[in-house]
Amino acid sequence: MKKAFLFLSALLAAALPAMADEGMWLPSLISQRIGDMQAKGFRLTAEDVYSVNQASLKDAVVLFGGGCTGELVSDEGLLLTNHHCGYSYIQRHSSVEHDYLKDGFWAMNRDEELPNKGLTVSFLDHMDEVTDLVLKGYEPGMTEAQRDSVVKVNSDRLVRESTDPDKGLKANVEALFYGNRYYLFVFRVYRDVRLVGAPPSSIGKFGGDTDNWMWPRHTGDFSIFRVYADKDNNPADYSPDNVPYRPRKFFKISRKGVQEGDFTFVYGCPGSTQEYVMSDQVRYVAEQSDPQKIALRTQRLDIQKKYMSASQAVRIQYSSKNASVANAWKKWQGEEKGIRRMRTVASKLAYEQRFREWARGTRYEGIVDELGEIYARRNPTYLAYEYYNEAVRTIELLSFASAVQSRLRAGTPTEDLIDSFYKDYYQPIDEETFVAMMTSFDRNVPERFKPDWFREQLAKYGSVAAWKDDLYAHSLFIDREKVAALRSVDEVAGDPAIEMYDAFLAWYRKDLYPVIQETGAALRVANRTYMQGQMDFEPQRDFYPDANLTLRIAYGQVKGYSPYDGAYYYPVSTLKGIIEKDNPDIFDYNIPQVLRDIYAQGGHDGQPVCFLATNHTTGGNSGSPVINADGDLIGINFDRVWEGTMSDIAFNPDICRNISLDIRYLLFVVDQVGHASYLFDEMSFAD
Ligand code: ARG
Ligand code: ASP
């Protein structure tokens, strides 16, 4: 009985085309996936999802700024994204009198909406495969440099032909599948985007870095903007005469809510993944790069935390710096652990063995070994480069000194730089970080990579601590008055901070960059061959291209998971959980009084807040619309669970989960906290 069942399920598994829920698919090729999507519950057609001729869901999705996603929810340009995506804009409008980060912001009418210089949103007009056009004139046997120049000339022409500044049309040619395919993307870029609403950070960033990358999660991570256009609905610079943009399509909002097993669909702009790299590179990430970077950041975070908990002023100064250090730190821990847990290196090795056998006698013979050789040549230098970034360039005094130097050299004013640096600079943290980073550099960077200058400093001072004392005693950059008085770049010559910055930069340029550059070029060629080889090796498998911030579709279902043995996480969280976490003494968990009052009235226990699903997402997918089987908006994607962050390298459907804000929590906060329910009048509700 049991045996027969096992046999049957093995048979079924073998027949499945792609692993369940893995994949970030190209919208223009969605007709290849639509059958599978419909089998899993989706009720719309491929044309509803992506079409050039008629309005489709793609017309309601934008690249928000340079690295997030947003979605339109009204025919008057109303746009939703994450609080953490709007954060810097909300911050720029904030002052001591109007602290919108702390208290939230709600425009009560159109006149109160706030313009945001530099913020753009990009709508995809259309995308086309242009591989043949881009490679026109390329002949086998050409050198890589010749190929590059063919690609560049043809791409430039395609981009020129599609660009139209008057209509705000911008174009890019993107290499997909490691340069085996090229796609042209044409966008309409709108540049008058105004802030409409944002909850207080104690809702929009609830849980802070304590809960970041984690479940159960209760973050109201949303902010609301509006896109404006000129009278003809075309992109325009900010003007009081502009009018709300009328999109070809906007999302209807579903208030039905989600249940485990429901179909979910994320439409957005994932930034970067590497699913097809060989085992050696995965081993490098999991066994060297991630652990060493984590260790460096742990030291920095510990130092920051020590001083932050001793002083309220320092806590405020370092909260944003601390958050950005902690974000990748936590992600890498999940990635490293996930790769080990999935035995990705071993399964890639086994795959490569099968590939090698198949490749014998083909043009792919030897490609895996060639890649291995390039990585072997590259990775030791690359690790030193990671130390340069994580241990040298993180010393605040150095990067500040170099920034001031560039301004002086260019003859541009330094006041704003000086203000923003000293406002958030606490020297004891920087000094202790210096000692920790230089000590780690000395301990962990192999002798042959160390700059001579570094060795000389150590010899001269006898210890990192003595070196530190001398640097911070003699650099003028610790003294605000002196920096403000600088008039010419000559005055900083010989400053020990500048000297150190320059010495490491020279080392990077001379010893590291040439190797990184040369191996990078070799990898581009070899990975292109290997990618095509993998596609030829498994012609029946559906390949999706690695993420590169182009628009993609990921579909899956609402689902909990088991984070570790003996535990299971339910896929939905509620207001009850916020109240359970509420603690006025803990910054990350101190909710606004109004939320306590609303809860105390009763009846809100079941108010949904966030949910988990199996969509394959990554950085850049923040703010993406989460859509149900009918194409209606049920949530806003904002994070993943840390145990599943290896999904950038290998996706595990049992553990990888994206985290979304339940759209009903947005409605609740807009209404009950923001008293801005007038916004609902322009929205459309599906149920
Ligand atoms: N982890 C999410 C992402 O990678 C959210 C980061 C912002 N939130 C935070 N608490 N730092 O972007
Ligand atoms: N939090 C990420 C973002 O900002 C999303 C992720 O990495 O899952 O795009």
Side-chain angles (χ1 to χ4, degrees):
M1 238 304 256
K2 201 156 179 208
K3 234 181 182 166
F5 173 74
L6 276 180
F7 175 72
L8 200 75
S9 44
L11 209 74
L12 278 173
L16 284 177
M19 265 237 279
D21 302 337
E22 172 175 357
M24 305 168 163
W25 307 99
L26 289 172
S28 60
L29 300 181
I30 202 61
S31 54
Q32 297 170 6
R33 308 297 318 163
I34 199 76
D36 187 46
M37 291 169 74
Q38 288 167 342
K40 289 172 176 162
F42 194 47
R43 284 189 280 269
L44 303 189
T45 66
E47 283 275 296
D48 293 329
V49 174
Y50 177 89
S51 168
V52 182
N53 305 313
Q54 66 184 51
S56 61
L57 295 183
K58 81 146 173 47
D59 298 310
V61 185
V62 296
L63 176 68
F64 180 88
C68 277
T69 307
E71 55 275 6
L72 277 283
V73 289
S74 88
D75 60 3
E76 297 179 273
L78 200 65
L79 177 148
L80 307 180
T81 187
N82 290 144
H83 188 262
H84 79 261
C85 295
Y87 199 83
S88 61
Y89 305 100
I90 306 167
Q91 177 170 46
R92 258 172 255 170
H93 291 296
S94 299
S95 61
V96 179
E97 298 80 47
H98 307 285
D99 193 346
Y100 300 142
L101 274 182
K102 182 166 166 289
D103 304 324
F105 168 78
W106 307 97
M108 282 305 160
N109 55 57
R110 303 261 158 103
D111 291 338
E112 289 180 7
E113 296 174 358
L114 300 171
N116 300 285
K117 210 167 186 257
L119 174 59
T120 59
V121 298
S122 307
F123 291 85
L124 179 64
D125 189 78
H126 61 278
M127 57 186 285
D128 288 306
E129 181 168 1
V130 290
T131 311
D132 291 346
L133 293 172
V134 167
L135 292 178
K136 201 167 164 202
Y138 170 74
E139 311 277 348
M142 277 185 172
T143 64
E144 194 55 21
Q146 286 169 320
R147 187 186 190 273
D148 285 347
S149 110
V150 167
V151 168
K152 183 167 178 345
V153 168
N154 289 331
S155 303
D156 286 352
R157 186 176 45 78
L158 285 167
V159 165
R160 239 185 354 263
E161 285 167 5
S162 299
T163 302
D164 181 348
D166 291 339
K167 293 201 173 113
L169 287 180
K170 265 204 186 143
N172 307 321
V173 170
E174 301 282 351
L176 298 176
F177 294 115
Y178 296 83
N180 285 293
R181 306 274 190 283
Y182 292 90
Y183 275 75
L184 174 72
F185 291 82
V186 180
F187 297 97
R188 273 171 305 128
V189 184
Y190 283 79
R191 47 192 194 273
D192 183 355
V193 185
R194 304 185 196 169
L195 179 63
V196 174
S201 291
S202 49
I203 289 177
K205 214 184 167 209
F206 178 78
D209 283 292
T210 316
D211 285 5
N212 191 22
W213 300 112
M214 279 165 77
W215 189 260
R217 189 64 159 276
H218 299 89
T219 313
D221 199 344
F222 75 89
S223 57
I224 308 179
F225 289 79
R226 189 186 302 282
V227 185
Y228 280 80
D230 70 12
K231 292 195 175 55
D232 303 318
N233 214 28
N234 284 323
D237 287 332
Y238 168 79
S239 156
D241 299 333
N242 285 347
V243 293
Y245 167 69
R246 293 181 308 284
R248 289 172 77 182
K249 180 90 188 170
F250 63 89
F251 286 104
K252 280 191 287 191
I253 292 170
S254 167
R255 288 174 294 198
K256 261 205 316 257
V258 296
Q259 275 185 330
E260 183 134 21
D262 283 357
F263 177 87
T264 54
F265 166 10
V266 173
Y267 212 153
C269 309
S272 153
T273 57
Q274 30 179 346
E275 313 283 347
Y276 305 104
V277 294
M278 73 166 301
S279 53
D280 288 359
Q281 177 61 4
V282 178
R283 187 184 284 130
Y284 171 73
V285 170
E287 294 175 15
Q288 296 199 51
S289 174
D290 280 352
Q292 305 220 26
K293 288 187 295 187
I294 292 164
L296 289 171
R297 288 199 177 201
T298 303
Q299 297 185 61
R300 287 166 64 205
L301 290 166
D302 286 348
I303 294 166
Q304 292 175 0
K305 244 177 274 161
K306 186 174 79 186
Y307 290 99
M308 286 167 80
S309 54
S311 150
Q312 179 76 351
V314 176
R315 193 189 54 67
I316 294 169
Q317 283 184 314
Y318 276 75
S319 67
S320 163
K321 293 177 190 177
N322 192 263
S324 66
V325 178
N327 194 37
W329 171 77
K330 214 158 175 178
K331 190 208 139 165
W332 292 328
Q333 294 180 49
E335 184 170 82
E336 171 214 6
K337 193 165 167 232
I339 288 170
R340 265 190 281 122
R341 192 164 152 174
M342 273 178 85
R343 299 190 177 84
T344 306
V345 173
S347 63
K348 289 236 174 196
L349 279 169
Y351 172 86
E352 285 153 14
Q353 200 43 46
R354 293 198 304 278
F355 180 91
R356 269 198 196 86
E357 279 157 29
W358 166 85
R360 215 164 288 142
T362 74
R363 75 181 184 95
Y364 305 115
E365 183 164 353
I367 191 65
V368 179
D369 301 303
E370 187 186 326
L371 272 166
E373 283 155 24
I374 305 171
Y375 282 121
R377 210 156 70 217
R378 174 184 178 84
N379 285 344
T381 307
Y382 202 82
L383 193 62
Y385 170 61
E386 305 217 67
Y387 268 85
Y388 175 54
N389 281 326
E390 289 285 326
V392 181
R393 298 192 343 155
T394 50
I395 298 165
E396 294 178 74
L397 191 69
L398 301 192
S399 36
F400 175 59
S402 137
V404 171
Q405 186 189 35
S406 327
R407 291 271 183 110
L408 289 170
R409 193 176 288 136
T412 47
T414 51
E415 284 93 41
D416 58 321
L417 191 64
I418 294 174
D419 283 347
S420 67
F421 177 76
Y422 289 107
K423 181 171 149 298
D424 292 335
Y425 184 62
Y426 188 64
Q427 197 178 319
I429 291 185
D430 202 31
E431 290 192 21
E432 221 173 299
T433 303
F434 178 98
V435 175
M437 293 299 101
M438 287 300 103
T439 305
S440 294
F441 189 95
D442 189 32
R443 221 172 263 159
N444 303 330
V445 174
E447 261 338 288
R448 68 194 160 105
F449 284 112
K450 284 180 193 158
D452 293 336
W453 184 86
F454 174 81
R455 265 194 287 256
E456 287 158 22
Q457 294 300 104
L458 285 188
K460 177 168 147 197
Y461 292 107
S463 74
V464 172
W467 174 13
K468 181 267 293 178
D469 287 343
D470 190 64
L471 171 68
Y472 287 81
H474 292 108
S475 173
L476 69 87
F477 290 96
I478 51 137
D479 187 331
R480 185 186 177 126
E481 313 277 273
K482 284 190 187 150
V483 179
L486 291 170
R487 287 295 162 263
S488 129
V489 70
D490 301 335
E491 295 168 61
V492 301
D495 184 273
I498 296 279
E499 196 194 331
M500 179 170 174
Y501 185 90
D502 286 348
F504 274 101
L505 182 63
W507 164 69
Y508 161 70
R509 287 192 177 142
K510 185 171 139 299
D511 292 359
L512 308 185
Y513 181 74
V515 178
I516 292 171
Q517 164 84 356
E518 179 270 316
T519 52
L523 279 178
R524 260 193 305 285
V525 182
N527 267 323
R528 189 167 73 226
T529 305
Y530 184 43
M531 183 76 241
Q532 186 60 52
Q534 294 182 63
M535 296 197 279
D536 291 351
F537 175 46
E538 294 184 288
Q540 75 296 345
R541 175 171 156 200
D542 293 318
F543 286 85
Y544 57 92
D546 266 329
N548 60 350
L549 214 60
T550 56
L551 197 60
R552 302 297 178 89
I553 284 162
Y555 57 95
Q557 55 177 308
V558 175
K559 205 169 174 180
Y561 74 108
S562 168
Y564 44 84
D565 185 41
Y568 182 79
Y569 281 153
Y570 294 105
V572 298
S573 67
T574 63
L575 190 58
K576 184 163 166 264
I578 296 185
I579 301 300
E580 283 170 0
K581 284 177 180 172
D582 176 26
N583 183 340
D585 296 329
I586 300 177
F587 180 76
D588 285 345
Y589 292 142
N590 184 12
I591 60 172
Q593 187 55 37
V594 50
L595 214 49
R596 294 186 189 114
D597 296 343
I598 296 166
Y599 188 79
Q601 292 162 14
H604 293 295
D605 262 5
Q607 170 62 49
V609 176
C610 295
F611 63 88
L612 290 175
T614 60
N615 304 282
H616 190 181
T617 55
T618 186
N621 269 121
S622 275
S624 299
V626 186
I627 302 159
N628 68 10
D630 295 310
D632 300 322
L633 191 69
I634 50 174
I636 307 176
N637 184 73
F638 70 94
D639 208 4
R640 281 171 287 162
V641 299
W642 75 277
E643 298 93 342
T645 50
M646 72 299 196
S647 65
D648 290 349
I649 290 174
F651 187 87
N652 179 353
D654 294 336
I655 302 174
C656 295
R657 296 290 178 270
N658 61 314
I659 307 179
S660 303
L661 167 79
D662 191 307
I663 201 69
R664 293 169 298 168
Y665 188 51
L666 178 148
L667 299 173
F668 173 85
V669 172
V670 167
D671 180 26
Q672 306 266 330
V673 178
H675 305 294
S677 59
Y678 81 92
L679 290 169
F680 301 163
D681 298 343
E682 63 182 286
M683 296 177 183
S684 253
F685 294 95
D687 39 57

